[in-house]
């Protein structure tokens, strides 16, 4: 049965929330701003050492907190001691973000690949089973996308792609993972392969940071992931 993921095209998508000066990426403040302005929200997740899921982009916390630590080695208690970019904002748990958004806008969850699919995906599926809002998952790792195909086919799944992996750039594993949408690096556009794929499934362009980027995304994609409000 074809899944309804039309909500992916309903509004621009805020990359790690709407962040900027005094509003760090992937923070509750950034997600609240995006929610209040009606943006869809894209966020990143990692599995902590004690089995909880945190919302954070990098494998290491140093860039955002000044503390040199692998996020997958941290516990919730250790995580809560860190602050994002010298603000009062901290690295939130996925459960906290879900409580904040509470179905107000759709969410795109990027599953980072520092853990095997069999470790992080079951935890994510369990958490999301109680969430009543609209959401999809995506990953650069085809093994994670495939895990959802096999174990949770009712959840919309997307393949992330960029030019640092020739196989992914050309989406050669789509026959195996059967994604419902593609998140594609706009620096790789235009692409004849993407032109063909758009007839079959939505393509989201990332990351729009300028008006030039916006022109490219609107021309070659069905929606876009952005870091600022453009029109």
């Amino acid at each position: 049965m074809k899944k309804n993921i039309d909500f992916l095209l309903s509004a621009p998508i805020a990359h790690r929330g709407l962040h900027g000066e005094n509003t760090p990426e992937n923070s509750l403040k950034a997600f609240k701003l995006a929610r209040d302005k009606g943006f869809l929200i894209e966020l990143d997740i990692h599995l902590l050492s004690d089995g909880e899921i945190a919302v954070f982009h990098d494998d290491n916390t140093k860039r955002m907190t000044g503390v040199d630590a692998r996020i997958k080695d941290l516990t919730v208690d250790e995580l809560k001691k860190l602050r994002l970019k010298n603000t009062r904002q901290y690295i939130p748990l996925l459960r906290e973000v879900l409580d904040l958004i509470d179905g107000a806008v759709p969410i795109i969850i990027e599953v980072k690949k520092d853990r095997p699919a069999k470790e992080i995906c079951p935890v994510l599926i369990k958490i999301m089973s109680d969430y009543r809002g609209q959401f999809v998952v995506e990953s650069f790792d085809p093994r994670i996308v495939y895990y959802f195909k096999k174990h949770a086919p009712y959840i919309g799944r997307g393949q992330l792609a960029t030019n640092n992996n020739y196989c992914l750039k050309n989406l050669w594993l789509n026959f195996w993972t059967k994604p419902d949408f593609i998140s594609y690096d706009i620096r790789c556009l235009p692409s004849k392969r993407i032109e063909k794929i758009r007839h079959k499934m939505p393509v989201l362009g990332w990351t729009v940071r300028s008006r030039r980027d916006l022109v490219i995304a609107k021309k070659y994609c069905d929606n876009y992931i952005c870091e600022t409000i453009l029109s």
Side-chain angles (χ1 to χ4, degrees):
M1 181 182 295
K2 183 176 176 59
K3 292 182 281 292
N4 183 0
I5 57 170
D6 291 346
F7 58 82
L8 287 177
L9 310 182
S10 61
I13 304 159
H15 187 231
R16 308 174 198 169
L18 284 178
H19 54 91
E21 188 175 1
N22 300 319
T23 306
E25 64 182 54
N26 277 324
S27 66
L28 291 178
K29 185 177 180 181
F31 296 137
K32 183 178 185 300
L33 285 172
R35 180 201 68 184
D36 292 349
K37 291 186 178 295
F39 279 67
L40 279 67
I41 291 172
E42 183 268 354
L43 54 81
D44 311 279
I45 63 165
H46 291 268
L47 184 66
L48 300 177
S49 65
D50 56 3
E52 278 287 353
I53 287 183
V55 177
F56 194 73
H57 178 267
D58 300 357
D59 294 344
N60 190 291
T61 61
K62 187 171 184 178
R63 177 178 69 91
M64 291 301 297
T65 71
V67 175
D68 187 2
R70 296 191 305 176
I71 191 164
K72 71 177 184 178
D73 295 337
L74 300 178
T75 64
V76 172
D77 289 341
E78 292 169 333
L79 199 75
K80 293 300 182 182
K81 295 176 183 177
L82 306 179
R83 290 297 177 265
L84 295 168
K85 290 292 186 181
N86 297 314
T87 70
R88 293 184 177 181
Q89 296 294 303
Y90 58 88
I91 300 171
L93 299 179
L94 178 60
R95 298 179 192 274
E96 293 177 286
V97 177
L98 297 179
D99 287 343
L100 174 70
I101 304 305
D102 195 25
V105 296
I107 301 173
I108 301 173
I109 301 170
E110 179 183 342
V111 184
K112 306 303 283 187
K113 56 182 182 178
D114 58 342
R115 295 273 193 178
K118 65 181 180 180
E119 292 183 13
I120 188 169
C121 294
V123 181
L124 177 59
I125 290 169
K126 184 177 180 180
I127 291 174
M128 299 311 295
S129 67
D130 294 326
Y131 187 65
R132 298 295 170 240
Q134 295 174 311
F135 73 95
V136 294
V137 299
E138 64 178 10
S139 183
F140 280 105
D141 189 340
R143 292 166 296 186
I144 289 173
V145 181
Y146 177 77
Y147 188 97
F148 282 92
K149 173 184 176 250
K150 184 176 181 180
H151 297 282
Y154 51 88
I155 295 176
R157 60 187 179 274
Q159 180 65 60
L160 275 156
T162 186
N163 61 2
N164 64 1
N165 184 305
Y166 194 75
C167 182
L168 285 185
K169 179 183 177 182
N170 289 282
L171 303 168
W172 285 344
L173 293 179
N174 279 11
F175 77 94
W176 180 54
T177 58
K178 292 290 192 294
D180 302 299
F181 68 96
I182 302 297
S183 286
Y184 207 74
D185 190 340
I186 61 172
R187 294 172 297 182
C188 301
L189 297 173
S191 162
K192 291 183 178 179
R193 188 170 296 273
I194 287 298
E195 289 176 14
K196 293 179 180 178
I197 282 179
R198 286 183 70 189
H199 296 293
K200 302 176 182 178
M201 67 186 76
V203 173
L204 312 178
W206 58 271
T207 302
V208 171
R209 296 185 174 95
S210 68
R211 296 197 178 278
R212 180 181 179 276
D213 292 342
L214 183 62
V215 170
I216 294 172
K218 284 187 172 183
K219 184 174 182 180
Y220 299 112
C221 305
D222 301 295
N223 198 4
Y224 57 91
I225 300 168
C226 60
E227 288 194 346
T228 187
I229 301 174
L230 298 167
S231 59

